Amino acid sequence: MAGTSTAIEAEYGSVGLGARILAVLEDAGVDTDELTPELLAPADQIHGGGLAATIEHAAMIPFGPNTRVLDIGCGIGGPARYLSTAFGCHVTGIDLTADFIEAARLLTERIGLPGLVDFECADATKLPFDDATFDVVWSQNVTMNIQDR
């Protein structure tokens, strides 16, 4: 898997991505100390349908404040932040791309969700969690990229 992970990092990695997103927002006059999932959605809902798809899919699941969610292929964390702010649930996002995880952590800190949303660089086929850690497994537009599902 190391070869696949390295190839994915080379294809999708982007050093300083979170800082660049914040800089663009600041240049547009957005107060980056008052971010919301809606303000970040054009940059962090990087899947088909964007925030509208996340909202539509989330409406099908009975999330609540005690729900623990694993977001596989979380990218830079947009859906994870939305789920947490909309439903109060705790979300752990994983992605193979370390630059995405770094950006996700930075943006999550700016929104004020550390403690409710966390991120780890991890492989969905070799999860580093105990069984029954999560109530819901969430994934948008990533499972088609996992060879051995």
Side-chain angles (χ1 to χ4, degrees):
M1 186 65 191
T4 300
S5 180
T6 302
I8 289 170
E9 186 71 30
E11 176 71 20
Y12 295 106
S14 183
V15 175
L17 178 60
R20 288 197 314 277
I21 291 169
L22 292 175
V24 168
L25 290 170
E26 288 169 359
D27 288 347
V30 174
D31 181 352
T32 58
D33 290 325
E34 297 294 328
L35 293 176
T36 65
E38 293 76 19
L39 282 172
L40 285 173
D44 72 2
Q45 296 280 337
I46 51 178
H47 55 268
L51 180 58
T54 299
I55 292 169
E56 181 180 345
H57 294 160
M60 297 181 212
I61 301 169
F63 290 111
N66 294 320
T67 307
R68 294 198 43 89
V69 181
L70 175 63
D71 182 359
I72 294 177
C74 65
I76 62 172
R81 286 186 292 276
Y82 169 77
L83 294 173
S84 185
T85 58
F87 302 101
C89 53
H90 182 274
V91 184
T92 297
I94 64 165
D95 203 284
L96 287 174
T97 308
D99 293 335
F100 284 0
I101 296 300
E102 180 182 321
R105 288 174 177 158
L106 174 64
L107 297 173
T108 299
E109 182 179 308
R110 284 297 182 97
I111 284 186
L113 292 174
L116 277 179
V117 182
D118 57 83
F119 299 96
E120 293 186 31
C121 199
D123 182 340
T125 65
K126 297 177 183 104
L127 294 173
F129 307 107
D130 292 333
D131 290 349
T133 297
F134 300 98
D135 304 303
V136 173
V137 175
W138 176 273
S139 182
Q140 287 180 273
N141 291 50
V142 76
T143 56
M144 72 276 198
N145 295 320
I146 300 173
Q147 185 174 11
D148 186 13
R149 294 184 275 294

